[in-house]
Amino acid sequence: MSSIEQRSTLTQFLIEERRRFPQARGDFNALILDVALACKAIAKSVAFGELGGLYGNHAEDQGGSINVQGETQKKLDVLSNQLFVRITEWGGHLAGMASEEMDTPYQIPTRFPRGKYLLVFDPLDGSSNIDVNVSVGSIFSILRHVGQSDPVTEQDFLQPGNQQVAAGYALYGPTTMLILSVGNGVSGFTLDPHLGEFMLTHPRLKVPEQSQEFAINASNSRFWEAPVKRYVDECLAGKTGPRGKDFNMRWIASMVAEAHRILMRGGVFLYPRDSKDPSKPGRLRLLYEANPIGFLMEQAGGRASTGQVPMLTVQPTGLHQRIGLVFGSKEEVERIERYHAEPVEWHDEHNPLFSERGLFRD
Ligand code: AHG
Ligand code: MN
Ligand code: MN
């Protein structure tokens, strides 16, 4: 059992972290605690499932609602977005917000004081699976509001991932967890449902550098670029292939759950750029999916990349910009980057899965 005598709460952890910066005013900690409260409120709604009447699509009686991504919004997408907004907007820490579920930046109402941070979030990641009771989560990223603009503009949010002040996610699984980095490693907290407190259960998380587990949606294989095909093919070839070891494959279709597995035991996740829809350079979004998860991976000794360049160096060009994403164990991600950099000459008869009767022949 979690004992409050033996473990730090999230509040204690944040206060102890802040003591390292005597000039800090505490705004930042208060913001993280508000974000954590929003996550607890979402966890509660998610946990009620069908009983809460929150499954299914938003505004179904009016033909449903579509977000800026062109995706049908679930009731829980909309509610989770509202919870994030309402619980964080009043505190005086934020200059503005951006979310997967809001087309344009959210302005802090004038009745509240404005702060110096920007909050960017995916209120419910993996929500297309919510009705089948798969683990889902919330992802967030905190940036400084470097400009003086009032109201905030889209431009204010277009900062490379290495400018993030903090990033994290909450995972609504068998237990609710909060994974957080304030730029000094990665810490994992488990929600004690009786106390309503996140307790520090996983200090100093590290992603193992090597791994034998990969995650990719193989139904897209005919659209993959050659370096991705090569990587997956070599994994599938197992012991008898060039890697000389067997690999395991996972696909939850809930990135936050895949990121968590990788933080716990290593592995690599790929949602690469592909040729499925030329208007979409990847499936996942840079500002509220790739960057915060990338920040956590790098802070835990892993790596995050577009396949070509480190994710956190990418200069964003749009609030809802999509991008190819590869993250996880450092050596695997570096290998994938290497394959992207090498000339494509491997695609030959030595490669059983792309040969005449191969699995991934196109
Ligand atoms: P969201 O629910 O926030 O739109 O994100 C879903 C994402 C991500 O969680 C997951 O990895 C991916 O979509 C799954 O995509 P496929 O359905 O193509 O497998
Ligand atoms: Mn998402
Ligand atoms: Mn989402």
Side-chain angles (χ1 to χ4, degrees), residues 89 95-97 104-110 114 149-153 157:
E89 68 180 344
M97 302 183 211
T104 53
Y106 179 82
Q107 306 296 337
I108 302 300
T110 48
R114 274 166 59 96
S149 55
D150 183 7
V152 289
T153 63
F157 292 85

Side-chain angles (χ1 to χ4, degrees), residues 5 43 51 82 89 91 93 97 108 120 130 151 165 169 219 222 284 286 289 301-303 308 312 314 320 342 349-350:
E5 293 151 52
L51 294 174
Q82 258 167 25
E89 68 180 344
H93 319 301
M97 302 183 211
I108 302 300
V120 189
I130 189 75
V165 183
Y169 64 78
S219 71
R222 67 189 183 283
L284 298 170
L286 175 58
E289 291 176 321
R303 192 168 171 87
Q308 282 84 11
L312 302 186
V314 174
H320 300 285
E342 281 171 13
E349 70 283 1
H350 303 303

Side-chain angles (χ1 to χ4, degrees), residues 77 100-101 122 124-125 127:
D77 284 324
E100 175 181 334
E101 305 302 340
D122 175 353
L124 204 58
D125 178 64
S127 59

Side-chain angles (χ1 to χ4, degrees), residues 117-138:
Y117 295 108
L118 300 172
L119 177 64
V120 189
F121 53 95
D122 175 353
L124 204 58
D125 178 64
S127 59
S128 61
N129 291 303
I130 189 75
D131 298 357
V132 295
N133 202 9
V134 161
S135 294
V136 291
S138 303

Side-chain angles (χ1 to χ4, degrees), residues 277-315:
D277 177 350
S279 71
K280 290 184 184 162
R283 162 86 168 86
L284 298 170
R285 280 62 52 113
L286 175 58
L287 287 183
Y288 41 81
E289 291 176 321
N291 273 346
I293 296 297
F295 189 75
L296 291 169
M297 288 296 145
E298 302 261 339
Q299 285 287 324
R303 192 168 171 87
S305 172
T306 63
Q308 282 84 11
V309 294
M311 186 58 68
L312 302 186
T313 65
V314 174
Q315 173 59 53

